[in-house]
Amino acid sequence: MKDKDKSNGKGPASKRPTLDQNVQVHIGRKLKAVYEEVATAPIPDRLVQLLAKLEESQRK
Amino acid sequence: MTISPRLREELLGSVRSLRAFAVSLCGQPDRADDLVQETLVKAWSNIDSFQEGTNLQAWLFTILRNHYYSEIRKRRREVEDADGHYASRLATHPPQQGHLDLADFKVALRQLPDDQREALVLVGASGFSYEEAAGICGVAVGTIKSRVSRARSHLAKALKIENEADMGPDSTTEAVFTSLRQRRA
């Protein structure tokens, strides 16, 4: 019986080394923290007013 | 046009993440709010073209993103900026000051190419799947995957955290928890 085509792991598709899992997690946390800084901030007045206006226009 | 109460709730609920995405795109809080404002107006007047039950958030992000890039194209035509618009934008609009620990990260994030940064933010922070992010950006899923991976490598290099030993104590975790607590409060 022949060996199945073993490419020894390193096929032509071998890509650049992937980052350490922990580094990915670390970057992910920082990224979320930066994002949440804005996403958890209060919505500015002008947007609140705009939303109110849009809702008002819907009722008409 | 009619907007169901559920759709309305969802729409209102998306404003915060739209703002966060807009800031990540343009780097300027004021301009980000302009973008969100224009997005809401567009969404509201085109709500009939939205299929209820599909992903509203992805639809809104797509509107905002398309609007942002069409504005950039317009501005480029209007103003031939000899100094290079990107470099000057970096120089004159430093990232928002916040948690000190995040300052370096923000600079590194801002220096990523636009396409890589948006892919990373959509997948890594906005919570979209690769497929959804691909839909929002109008590219193939594989393209998003490779952009995200390149973005991470760039960041790791810029922040010199290519292995675990470089990371140091993780005060960021605390910042995330703090912001989550604030959100619940």
Side-chain angles (χ1 to χ4, degrees):
Chain A
M1 204 198 267
K2 273 185 183 173
D3 258 2
K4 277 182 186 162
D5 271 350
K6 268 200 265 175
S7 52
N8 258 346
K10 298 254 156 104
S14 92
K15 291 175 187 163
R16 83 197 64 157
T18 39
L19 284 177
D20 183 296
Q21 188 72 29
N22 290 312
V23 174
Q24 289 202 22
V25 170
H26 179 76
I27 288 174
R29 280 185 186 145
K30 293 223 171 203
L31 181 69
K32 284 196 184 111
V34 170
Y35 192 82
E36 291 297 324
E37 237 179 40
V38 183
T40 57
I43 299 175
D45 280 348
R46 63 163 161 148
L47 290 179
V48 173
Q49 283 159 14
L50 171 75
L51 288 166
K53 245 172 62 186
L54 291 172
E55 291 194 72
E56 182 65 28
S57 73
Q58 199 207 340
R59 274 187 219 110
K60 278 174 193 164
Chain B
M1 102 208 63
T2 47
I3 299 175
S4 73
R6 198 176 136 248
L7 186 55
R8 191 183 139 274
E9 279 310 303
E10 263 189 88
L11 208 59
L12 300 187
S14 298
V15 173
R16 288 171 191 273
S17 20
L18 273 177
R19 287 191 75 220
F21 180 54
V23 169
S24 79
L25 279 182
C26 71
Q28 305 159 43
D30 278 352
R31 182 147 177 239
D33 285 337
D34 288 343
L35 285 170
V36 173
Q37 182 161 340
E38 287 143 12
T39 301
L40 289 172
V41 171
K42 276 194 182 180
W44 212 275
S45 56
N46 291 296
I47 198 76
D48 289 337
S49 69
F50 173 71
Q51 283 187 299
E52 208 165 342
T54 63
N55 193 334
L56 178 74
Q57 188 118 312
W59 186 66
L60 293 170
F61 273 56
T62 309
I63 296 177
L64 188 140
R65 182 185 177 278
N66 288 346
H67 183 65
Y68 172 66
Y69 284 112
S70 78
E71 281 228 308
I72 284 194
R73 281 191 298 271
K74 209 161 44 174
R75 278 178 203 204
R76 271 193 199 142
R77 280 197 301 269
E78 284 166 8
V79 191
E80 284 294 341
D81 185 351
D83 296 328
H85 72 288
Y86 190 65
S88 66
R89 202 171 78 195
L90 282 177
T92 54
H93 297 285
Q96 283 178 291
Q97 277 307 314
H99 206 277
L100 248 191
D101 192 46
L102 289 176
D104 288 349
F105 186 83
K106 286 182 184 176
V107 172
L109 190 62
R110 205 91 301 279
Q111 284 167 344
L112 286 179
D114 288 352
D115 59 350
Q116 290 180 25
R117 186 176 54 252
E118 75 176 359
L120 183 70
V121 167
L122 288 171
V123 171
S126 304
F128 289 110
S129 66
Y130 284 108
E131 287 75 15
E132 288 166 335
I136 291 170
C137 300
V139 296
V141 176
T143 307
I144 291 293
K145 286 186 178 166
S146 100
R147 284 177 185 171
V148 169
S149 130
R150 272 181 292 151
R152 284 185 181 135
S153 308
H154 273 157
L155 286 177
K157 218 169 272 168
L159 299 164
K160 299 191 179 62
I161 46 166
E162 281 167 88
N163 63 65
E164 204 176 343
D166 297 328
M167 282 189 267
D170 196 351
S171 44
T172 319
T173 318
E174 191 47 42
V176 173
F177 285 152
T178 309
S179 73
L180 286 175
R181 275 197 297 273
Q182 282 166 350
R183 194 152 55 151
R184 283 201 200 98

